[in-house]
Amino acid sequence: MSRVTTWYDRKPYLHFDLPLSERKATEYVSDPERIARHPFYPFISYTLTTPRIRKSPPGGSKPFANEPKERLIAYPAHKDGYIFAYYKTKLEIPYEAWLKSKGLDNTVTAFRRTGANNITLAKKAFGFIADNPGCQIVVTDVESFFDNINHQQLKEIWARFQDSDSLPKDHYAVYKAITRYSVVERHKIYNLFGIRMFSGRNRDDQPLRLCTPQQLRDKVLARNLVKSNPGLPQGVGIPQGSQLSPLLSNMYMADLDVAMHGFVNPIGGAYWRYCDDILLVIPDKYRSDELMGNLDSELECLSLKRSIPKTQIIDHAELFAGRQLQYLGFMFNGVEAVIRPSSIHRYHRKVKKALQAAVSGATARASVPAMLHHCARKLCTICTQTCRYAGKRSNPARSGRNSAATSLITWLNLLM
């Protein structure tokens, strides 16, 4: 059967329910009355840990330290996921129209179907900086962004994009599911039912669902394994991992995007936001402290705060004095952009994980070559485009800055 929707995506992971066909899923999610009464399952959660090697502070016992970044990922049940994906497509229409009407189509860059990727987005930003000597650059991000999204403000913004003072019943049911959500830790429920970790590809010797509704009541709820959104008492937080959360995060920042674009654009500056990563460029005759004051004020109106440790304020001249701008996985010195070592390390970890899964037999062996091939092609594409971009501003063969990336490309091409 050919695909007739843009939102349907059948996932093979284990959850409390079974996947639906596209036809059955469409029949279900397109009925507002049914959605208004729909009982949502708890999310399954796990902690995603990303190793990060940082320089130790002066006086430390070791020159480098591992400061891992942890994110709580929560993914919904299959039918719940179809609902989130369907309402994402419904909300995208007014949101995209609003972006165009405000001149923000090229400003908000994450979670949108624009055809751009991190490489093209970074190239555009670096090109603007290179073409505007004497500018000041501010890079920052929002502290614990998804965990601090205010529920009441989100509901008001959601209704605003529906041209209404309140949410329709079906939208309100989805809003409640994404704000008053509950989670079950993946390793605990897998252990409870004796399921091997990473067995979500529905192999013959594994169940097709985690448990029946009766088992959910008698075993999972009885053992108090279901936990509510930890931010619910404060009225904050949406899960990272649902199909709808990325769009809602963009909608939530609508007023900030208008304000910051309106501040920097008339003075010849630029503003970009990639989820919670913010990049601002202004002429050096304007004060960066005034800019930061405006940004902090707008964030405060959204019950958010800027991450002070992750804030960089760089004068254009500092780029040529050895300081580097880090943005979207790249480093820029005013002349050329190079890929960050951590970006290469990220794909190395994915390849290593695939190999470990193959050895343990936890992953269907037919999927391992495909995963390795995907990781290799992705890494090769990034390195190739990085070298091409750097080559437009300097000769990589002469500078030697990209020799490692060039060698890596050659090696990966041999594998493919």
Side-chain angles (χ1 to χ4, degrees):
M1 179 180 175
S2 60
R3 290 283 301 274
V4 296
T5 64
T6 58
W7 55 266
Y8 177 81
D9 188 13
R10 187 184 179 99
K11 300 286 188 180
Y13 58 74
L14 290 177
H15 219 292
F16 295 117
D17 62 349
L18 295 169
L20 297 178
S21 67
E22 184 174 5
R23 179 182 62 80
K24 289 184 177 180
T26 302
E27 288 177 358
Y28 193 90
V29 302
S30 57
D31 184 348
E33 292 297 325
R34 183 176 282 175
I35 300 305
R37 302 189 304 269
H38 176 75
F40 287 84
Y41 277 112
F43 286 70
I44 303 294
S45 70
Y46 65 95
T47 300
L48 179 64
T49 303
T50 305
R52 293 189 302 180
I53 307 301
R54 300 290 178 89
K55 286 186 176 181
S56 298
S61 59
K62 296 181 180 180
F64 295 96
N66 183 13
E67 299 178 0
K69 177 181 179 181
E70 293 187 347
R71 286 191 299 154
L72 184 67
I73 304 298
Y75 53 96
H78 294 287
K79 189 181 288 186
D80 299 348
Y82 301 143
I83 294 171
F84 292 141
Y86 180 73
Y87 277 79
K88 172 179 175 286
T89 60
K90 294 185 71 172
L91 287 169
E92 273 179 335
I93 297 172
Y95 177 68
E96 288 292 331
W98 177 84
L99 284 176
K100 289 181 173 59
S101 71
K102 298 294 183 180
L104 298 172
D105 195 35
N106 296 317
T107 294
V108 182
T109 57
F111 313 131
R112 298 177 56 220
R113 305 176 198 185
T114 61
N117 56 34
N118 284 16
I119 299 168
T120 56
L121 296 172
K123 178 181 177 182
K124 181 178 180 180
F126 296 158
F128 183 89
I129 294 169
D131 293 337
N132 287 272
C135 66
Q136 293 182 83
I137 307 131
V138 175
V139 184
T140 188
D141 74 6
V142 180
E143 191 175 277
S144 303
F145 180 32
F146 283 85
D147 293 338
N148 287 309
I149 290 178
N150 182 276
H151 295 167
Q152 181 61 34
Q153 289 177 278
L154 175 63
K155 184 170 70 171
E156 293 171 0
I157 293 167
W158 193 327
R160 197 168 76 199
F161 279 100
Q162 297 293 300
D163 292 324
S164 175
D165 294 330
S166 60
L167 293 176
K169 290 182 179 179
D170 56 325
H171 282 259
Y172 183 64
V174 178
Y175 158 78
K176 286 195 299 181
I178 207 74
T179 54
R180 304 178 192 176
Y181 68 95
S182 58
V183 298
V184 179
E185 292 181 68
R186 184 175 62 181
H187 72 278
K188 289 184 178 180
I189 194 166
Y190 272 45
N191 290 339
L192 176 63
F193 291 105
I195 300 172
R196 280 204 311 268
M197 196 64 70
F198 308 118
S199 63
R201 295 183 180 275
N202 295 345
R203 298 174 63 193
D204 293 338
D205 60 342
Q206 296 293 347
L208 298 179
R209 65 193 299 176
L210 284 173
C211 62
T212 65
Q214 185 66 43
Q215 290 173 318
L216 175 61
R217 289 189 292 269
D218 294 345
K219 293 189 175 183
V220 181
L221 291 174
R223 287 171 171 79
N224 198 31
L225 296 183
V226 178
K227 305 297 182 182
S228 298
N229 167 17
L232 191 58
Q234 293 78 38
V236 297
I238 63 174
Q240 292 190 64
S242 85
Q243 295 84 340
L244 185 55
S245 297
L247 175 62
L248 292 181
S249 72
N250 272 344
M251 291 167 51
Y252 189 78
M253 300 288 269
D255 291 342
L256 179 140
D257 293 333
V258 170
M260 298 313 299
H261 179 74
F263 180 80
V264 302
N265 195 56
I267 63 175
Y271 163 74
W272 293 279
R273 182 179 62 80
Y274 189 95
C275 187
D276 58 349
D277 291 327
I278 295 173
L279 175 62
L280 293 143
V281 184
I282 57 171
D284 61 357
K285 62 181 178 181
Y286 294 93
R287 293 166 55 91
S288 60
D289 56 350
E290 181 183 356
L291 174 69
M292 301 309 294
N294 287 347
L295 177 60
D296 289 341
S297 177
E298 293 297 330
L299 286 171
E300 186 178 356
C301 291
L302 294 172
S303 306
L304 299 172
K305 293 190 299 183
R306 171 171 56 91
S307 175
I308 303 298
K310 295 181 180 179
T311 299
Q312 284 183 291
I313 302 177
I314 305 172
D315 288 329
H316 191 274
E318 291 182 279
L319 294 175
F320 296 93
R323 193 170 180 186
Q324 301 224 37
L325 167 65
Q326 297 191 21
Y327 183 62
L328 298 183
F330 293 89
M331 297 186 296
F332 182 61
N333 65 0
V335 178
E336 63 179 5
V338 296
I339 192 170
R340 289 175 61 186
S342 59
S343 298
I344 296 177
H345 182 58
R346 186 180 306 117
Y347 288 101
H348 172 266
R349 289 199 312 273
K350 290 184 179 181
V351 172
K352 183 178 179 180
K353 182 178 178 181
L355 289 172
Q356 289 174 337
V359 172
S360 66
T363 301
R365 293 188 180 276
S367 69
V368 174
M371 184 172 182
L372 290 173
H373 185 74
H374 169 75
C375 291
R377 288 194 63 85
K378 183 80 172 178
L379 186 55
C380 185
T381 299
I382 289 177
C383 291
T384 302
Q385 294 197 32
T386 305
C387 289
R388 286 175 181 168
Y389 171 49
K392 290 183 179 181
R393 298 190 176 274
S394 65
N395 188 331
R398 293 178 184 172
S399 66
R401 292 290 300 275
N402 292 293
S403 57
T406 305
S407 299
L408 181 61
I409 295 166
T410 304
W411 180 74
L412 290 172
N413 280 324
L414 290 175
L415 291 180
M416 295 184 288

